[in-house]
Amino acid sequence: MRKLMTILAAGALVLALTAPAWAAGYKAEYKMSLRTSETSPWGAGAQKFADLVREKSGGKINIKCYFNGSLFADDQTKEFMMLKQGVADFALGSTINWSPQIRSLNLFSLPFLFPSYEALDKVKKGQTGQKLLAEIEKFNVVTLAWGENGYRELTNRIKPVVTPADLEGMKVRAVGSPIFKDTFAALGANPVLMNWGDALTAFQQGTVDGQENPVNVIIIPYKIYQYHKYITIWHYTIDPLILAVNKDTLKSFSAEDQKMIQQAADEAMAWQVNEARTGLTGDLASLNKLKAEGMEVTVLTPEQMMAFKVKCKPVWDKWTPQIGEEIVKAAQADMQGK
Ligand code: X2X
């Protein structure tokens, strides 16, 4: 009898070790990390993905969104580590917040590299996109789809910024990723790096003068016009989001469910990218909304942008080798359709 029990126990152990995780049942909850609130198109896109997966799986796969950086306690440049380790199963993260771990993602923060949304789309779809996703996968993280935060524009409470001289000495909050410190220093401003949670307090208290973030996804939903009267549309960097999953989590799903998750990601992110761009490309309804809220909107001409770009040369010199010369060249080739 005892011998039989031992054999049975050993058999169960072998089964447990060899059977795929999904055969043993899915987790009751999968954690999804993100920086922003549900009211931003960033948060709404994540929730849409979670809802689609729940619906398409008949309630079997339950993804809970942890909004406002609650999974990483506001320390946004740590998010990718949590996804890599599986503390988060999924994340919809900004390339900026993940760039301290994946240096090549600083590509999107190279000042004035991306002239248009079309250029960005070519880079995402082209050889550059493939290379970047391969970099991410080295860290046990699989990308499902690209989302979008958008072109990052400058707001401040002091004066219209039209030339680099206007930025001189201005205290500008930027994300805690080193390239931003270098960029605002090169532009003659006084950069202050902090997490978004702290930044919101700093805007309220006026301990910083300005900040930079996209119009639809951050400035409007977070009502930045309550604190800053001036906005400069200068398109200086662009900020794609990445919807990704920990590789072990992904492999724990059946092939059929993996396919369904991919479809849900494509659908949710197509909607999300559209939200990020609507009202900014054609009728400029989003800028009109900012004006209606009392903001003074300055849209820079390409020549005016060039004056800022020229000052950013030291940033390009320092960061191109860190991003990888071949990645920067690949992006330029993709944009030109080569
Ligand atoms: O912190 C920011 O500025 C934000 C919300 O845009 C990011 O997470 C990169």
Side-chain angles (χ1 to χ4, degrees):
M1 185 64 183
R2 201 152 164 188
K3 204 167 167 190
L4 182 65
M5 295 283 278
T6 315
I7 291 168
L8 279 178
L13 184 68
V14 168
L15 255 183
L17 289 175
T18 54
W22 59 266
Y26 288 174
K27 284 200 262 182
E29 178 192 294
Y30 293 89
K31 293 184 168 59
M32 167 114 178
S33 172
L34 64 154
R35 170 63 285 185
T36 50
S37 71
E38 199 167 358
T39 51
S40 154
W42 183 339
Q47 188 59 56
K48 196 176 187 65
F49 168 66
D51 290 345
L52 282 170
V53 170
R54 186 174 298 113
E55 203 181 290
K56 288 175 193 272
S57 68
K60 192 174 59 173
I61 303 176
N62 171 35
I63 300 173
K64 179 166 183 222
C65 291
Y66 285 77
F67 295 104
N68 301 312
S70 54
L71 214 53
F72 48 80
D74 197 34
D75 199 352
Q76 60 204 63
T77 52
K78 298 275 160 58
E79 183 179 54
F80 186 77
M81 299 307 287
M82 302 189 41
L83 183 58
K84 175 180 168 246
Q85 288 157 5
V87 178
D89 296 293
F90 295 86
L92 179 56
S94 157
T95 48
I96 300 174
N97 295 335
W98 295 3
S99 65
Q101 288 83 39
I102 306 160
R103 304 297 264 185
S104 49
L105 289 182
N106 283 290
L107 175 77
F108 301 104
S109 305
L110 259 190
F112 303 98
L113 171 61
F114 290 89
S116 62
Y117 289 118
E118 292 69 39
L120 170 67
D121 290 342
K122 283 182 187 163
V123 166
K124 288 188 300 191
K125 285 198 198 103
Q127 48 163 327
T128 321
Q130 298 302 322
K131 283 183 205 283
L132 294 175
L133 301 195
E135 283 294 312
I136 293 175
E137 200 164 340
K138 282 187 197 154
F139 291 88
N140 202 37
V141 171
V142 177
T143 299
L144 296 170
W146 294 92
E148 196 152 294
N149 196 359
Y151 269 123
R152 299 182 72 91
E153 320 292 8
L154 182 71
T155 68
N156 84 89
R157 64 185 179 131
I158 297 181
K159 62 178 170 189
V161 173
V162 186
T163 69
D166 299 322
L167 258 182
E168 198 63 48
M170 195 182 277
K171 231 173 154 183
V172 179
R173 176 270 170 178
V175 190
S177 169
I179 190 170
F180 287 92
K181 188 168 189 187
D182 292 340
T183 300
F184 281 94
L187 290 171
N190 177 6
V192 189
L193 305 190
M194 58 175 90
N195 288 314
W196 185 237
D198 294 332
L200 288 166
T201 313
F203 306 153
Q204 277 160 16
Q205 296 178 346
T207 49
V208 296
D209 303 319
Q211 65 89 40
E212 44 78 54
N213 252 304
V215 172
N216 280 359
V217 179
I218 302 289
I219 293 175
I220 292 178
Y222 283 91
K223 301 188 168 70
I224 300 300
Y225 41 77
Q226 291 179 329
Y227 322 110
H228 297 163
K229 184 169 169 52
Y230 305 98
I231 181 163
T232 302
I233 305 298
W234 64 341
H235 283 9
Y236 90 119
T237 62
I238 203 151
D239 184 9
L241 302 178
I242 294 177
L243 174 54
V245 54
N246 175 281
K247 204 174 194 171
D248 299 323
T249 301
L250 184 65
K251 283 195 299 198
S252 74
F253 297 124
S254 69
E256 197 187 321
D257 282 337
Q258 289 185 33
K259 206 169 139 201
M260 175 277 290
I261 287 169
Q262 180 62 58
Q263 282 166 355
D266 291 339
E267 192 178 331
M269 290 303 104
W271 175 86
Q272 196 279 329
V273 171
N274 191 46
E275 287 290 300
R277 294 182 187 181
T278 300
L280 286 171
T281 46
D283 60 1
L284 301 183
S286 298
L287 299 188
N288 289 335
K289 172 158 176 55
L290 296 181
K291 283 181 196 160
E293 295 291 351
M295 270 193 140
E296 196 177 310
V297 180
T298 305
V299 181
L300 296 191
T301 63
E303 293 73 34
Q304 286 170 326
M305 285 183 200
M306 191 49 84
F308 287 91
K309 182 173 179 177
V310 166
K311 292 206 82 169
C312 291
K313 184 168 183 304
V315 183
W316 280 64
D317 292 346
K318 178 175 170 185
W319 282 89
T320 300
Q322 300 214 33
I323 292 163
E325 194 117 19
E326 73 294 350
I327 297 271
V328 177
K329 284 211 175 106
Q332 283 160 338
D334 278 339
M335 284 189 248
Q336 286 157 17
K338 281 184 193 155

